Amino acid sequence: CCIGNGFVRDGITTWAPTIIDGLSGSETLNPTLTSLLIPVLNLMGVLLAKKVYRLFGGDARRSVGYLMLTSAALALLLIPAMRSAIVCALLLGLCCSATYGINPMLTTFIPMGYEQGRRVSLVAGMMDSFIYVGSSLAGVITGAIRDSAGWTPVFILWCGVAVMAFILAL
């Protein structure tokens, strides 16, 4: 689940400016300015995750799962959104927002469940390292797929990875 989160999150963060730049031909949309909005949306993702966490009664695993499922749906919506740079930028930002909101739960709330066994820091460290494994794979794999087959397979991959992370979170 952590690898999937890192893969989708950093795949979007890394490639969003390139995607937006490729689409903004007819629309006056500055990819650099648009990519600067992503951190603002990421903060909103953390606030959303807090609400989802409360909605699920403090169940971090279910919260992570359903936020990953939200990311999967948003990634799939990117396929028809490729006709509009503005809509695509919004969907990329929202998808990234949901995945950023997951990080605090993965590295904080879930490890706290291992307090009794005195393994909180071990679990937190392992989860964080797995997030970065996914992050490191995102740039290379996404770039290779984009170069060989275009953006649609990338969006399908992000969706599939997010669905897998959803299943693993539950």
Side-chain angles (χ1 to χ4, degrees):
C1 177
C2 294
I3 292 171
N5 179 56
F7 187 86
V8 174
R9 181 193 71 188
D10 285 339
I12 293 169
T13 302
T14 301
W15 291 99
T18 304
I19 294 167
I20 295 164
D21 187 43
L23 296 177
S24 62
S26 63
E27 298 173 50
T28 55
L29 189 63
N30 184 332
T32 305
L33 181 61
T34 307
S35 65
L36 291 174
L37 292 175
I38 290 177
V40 173
L41 290 170
N42 294 342
L43 176 61
M44 288 176 34
V46 172
L47 298 173
L48 171 69
K50 182 180 175 182
K51 289 189 183 295
V52 170
Y53 181 73
R54 287 185 179 153
L55 178 72
F56 286 114
D59 187 339
R61 292 175 194 271
R62 282 182 57 202
S63 301
V64 165
Y66 284 100
L67 284 169
M68 284 307 298
L69 191 60
T70 300
S71 297
L74 291 167
L76 204 54
L77 287 173
L78 286 167
I79 297 169
M82 290 295 283
R83 294 185 188 116
S84 168
I86 294 169
V87 173
C88 190
L90 179 64
L91 288 172
L92 285 166
L94 291 173
C95 189
C96 196
S97 178
T99 57
Y100 264 88
I102 291 169
N103 253 38
M105 285 188 272
L106 289 174
T107 58
T108 307
F109 296 142
I110 292 175
M112 290 306 289
Y114 295 89
E115 187 175 19
Q116 192 139 347
R118 299 175 57 163
R119 298 284 185 243
V120 173
S121 59
L122 173 70
V123 173
M126 287 178 59
M127 293 183 108
D128 199 33
S129 67
F130 283 128
I131 290 168
Y132 285 105
V133 167
S135 297
S136 65
L137 293 171
V140 176
I141 292 172
T142 300
I145 291 172
R146 190 269 179 214
D147 285 347
S148 66
W151 287 117
T152 298
V154 169
F155 301 151
I156 293 169
L157 175 65
W158 287 345
C159 177
V161 169
V163 168
M164 264 188 352
F166 160 74
I167 293 167
L168 291 171
L170 298 182

